[in-house]
């Protein structure tokens, strides 16, 4: 079966711009979670969407937002980009959104802010 | 606040040289400890889930164990293809992002032929 698809794979943006990343979960999975991965901080939880509703949110500023569509595809948006937003953004899908087991990650979108 | 500390940060082993990776954790209401493997340019790949102290799970050359404060990932007779970053994560019942995963920064393992 197809895995979790994230697009684009690579992105270069300028400070102050905004960016939208996309995640298509495994067919049948209703939960999508987003994580930011940086060398110093590791993976940090951004938010989780389940059946088009944000169910959990991590400690990130309001510049980070997301949404989920009726087909479970999810997008995350970062506005007013800062240099520190450069990271690998990973999404993970699962059927029930309970985390861990059954959590399949995509290969990520590498965002570079210059 | 949830905390996960992994050690060492990096580990180089000769092929066949067994060793262990450590994951120390502090969490309110542990609802699972997870091990993932991450290869360069890829997302983490699930390896194991442990739920209670004393639990052990094995997969090929890997064995994960859990105590009340830490988990170990034992690698027996590793091969070069075991080279990767190994991530430990915990799921908490409470707090920000409850039911999602809190990750450590990982151990980068290199196995030399």
């Amino acid at each position: 079966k197809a895995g979790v698809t994230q697009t684009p794979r690579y992105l270069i943006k300028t400070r102050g711009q905004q960016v939208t990343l996309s995640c298509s979960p495994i067919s049948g999975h209703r939960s999508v979670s987003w994580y930011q991965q940086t060398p110093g901080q590791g993976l940090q939880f951004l938010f989780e969407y389940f059946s088009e509703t944000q169910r959990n949110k991590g400690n990130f500023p309001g510049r980070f937002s997301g949404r989920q569509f009726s087909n479970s595809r999810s997008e995350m948006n970062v506005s007013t980009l800062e240099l520190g937003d450069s990271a690998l953004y990973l999404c993970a899908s699962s059927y029930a959104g309970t985390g861990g087991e059954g959590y399949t990650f995509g290969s990520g979108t590498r965002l570079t802010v210059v | 606040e949830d905390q996960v500390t992994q050690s060492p940060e990096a580990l180089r082993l000769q092929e066949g040289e067994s060793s262990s990776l450590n994951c120390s954790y502090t969490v309110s209401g542990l609802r699972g400890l997870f091990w993932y493997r991450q290869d360069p340019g890829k997302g983490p790949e699930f390896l194991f889930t442990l739920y209670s102290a004393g639990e052990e799970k094995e997969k090929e050359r890997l064995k994960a164990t859990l105590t009340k404060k830490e988990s170990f990932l034992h690698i027996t007779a590793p091969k070069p293809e075991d080279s990767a970053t190994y991530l430990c994560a915990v799921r908490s019942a409470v707090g920000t992002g409850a039911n999602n995963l809190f990750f450590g920064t990982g151990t980068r393992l290199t196995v030399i032929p």
Side-chain angles (χ1 to χ4, degrees):
Chain A
K1 64 182 180 183
V4 177
T5 303
Q6 291 189 246
T7 56
R9 285 298 310 275
Y10 303 94
L11 209 48
I12 299 176
K13 289 287 188 179
T14 303
R15 267 184 305 173
Q17 287 186 314
Q18 76 166 23
V19 67
T20 299
L21 312 181
S22 178
C23 173
S24 294
I26 289 173
S27 179
H29 283 189
R30 297 182 296 168
S31 168
V32 174
S33 294
W34 288 88
Y35 288 82
Q36 181 195 67
Q37 186 174 29
T38 58
Q41 299 293 321
L43 276 92
Q44 293 184 286
F45 171 66
L46 281 156
F47 29 67
E48 181 216 358
Y49 286 87
F50 183 85
S51 294
E52 300 180 65
T53 301
Q54 186 181 86
R55 194 160 66 170
N56 283 306
K57 189 177 191 304
N59 292 324
F60 278 81
R63 300 185 296 108
F64 292 81
S65 64
R67 58 178 174 169
Q68 187 178 33
F69 302 95
S70 59
N71 62 357
S72 294
R73 189 177 71 86
S74 177
E75 289 181 345
M76 69 163 279
N77 185 76
V78 188
S79 63
T80 319
L81 284 165
E82 301 176 359
L83 294 179
D85 297 332
S86 295
L88 180 66
Y89 290 88
L90 293 159
C91 80
S93 79
S94 66
Y95 178 74
T98 52
E101 209 154 18
Y103 227 48
T104 303
F105 281 89
S107 293
T109 293
R110 171 76 62 186
L111 172 65
T112 302
V113 182
V114 297
Chain B
E1 182 177 290
D2 298 344
Q3 267 199 314
V4 177
T5 304
Q6 292 189 247
S7 62
E9 287 187 18
L11 182 63
R12 288 172 65 90
L13 298 173
Q14 289 293 135
E15 185 173 0
E17 179 187 4
S18 301
S19 187
S20 296
L21 313 182
N22 177 263
C23 171
S24 300
Y25 66 90
T26 304
V27 65
S28 301
L30 180 70
R31 294 188 65 180
L33 184 140
F34 307 88
W35 283 98
Y36 282 82
R37 169 193 171 126
Q38 187 174 24
D39 293 299
K42 294 189 176 181
E45 176 188 344
F46 171 76
L47 291 173
F48 303 110
T49 309
L50 302 165
Y51 290 103
S52 55
E55 191 175 356
E56 298 182 352
K57 287 196 176 170
E58 285 188 69
K59 180 180 178 180
E60 296 179 358
R61 296 177 291 283
L62 300 177
K63 178 179 172 181
T65 62
L66 181 66
T67 72
K68 288 187 178 180
K69 292 185 177 181
E70 57 191 350
S71 177
F72 292 93
L73 183 66
H74 307 277
I75 303 177
T76 303
K79 298 182 178 181
E81 53 261 42
D82 295 322
S83 297
T85 295
Y86 290 85
L87 299 166
C88 171
V90 296
R91 179 156 60 103
S92 167
V94 299
T96 303
N99 290 321
N100 284 281
L101 300 184
F102 190 89
F103 282 85
T105 52
T107 293
R108 188 172 68 255
L109 174 66
T110 304
V111 182
I112 305 161

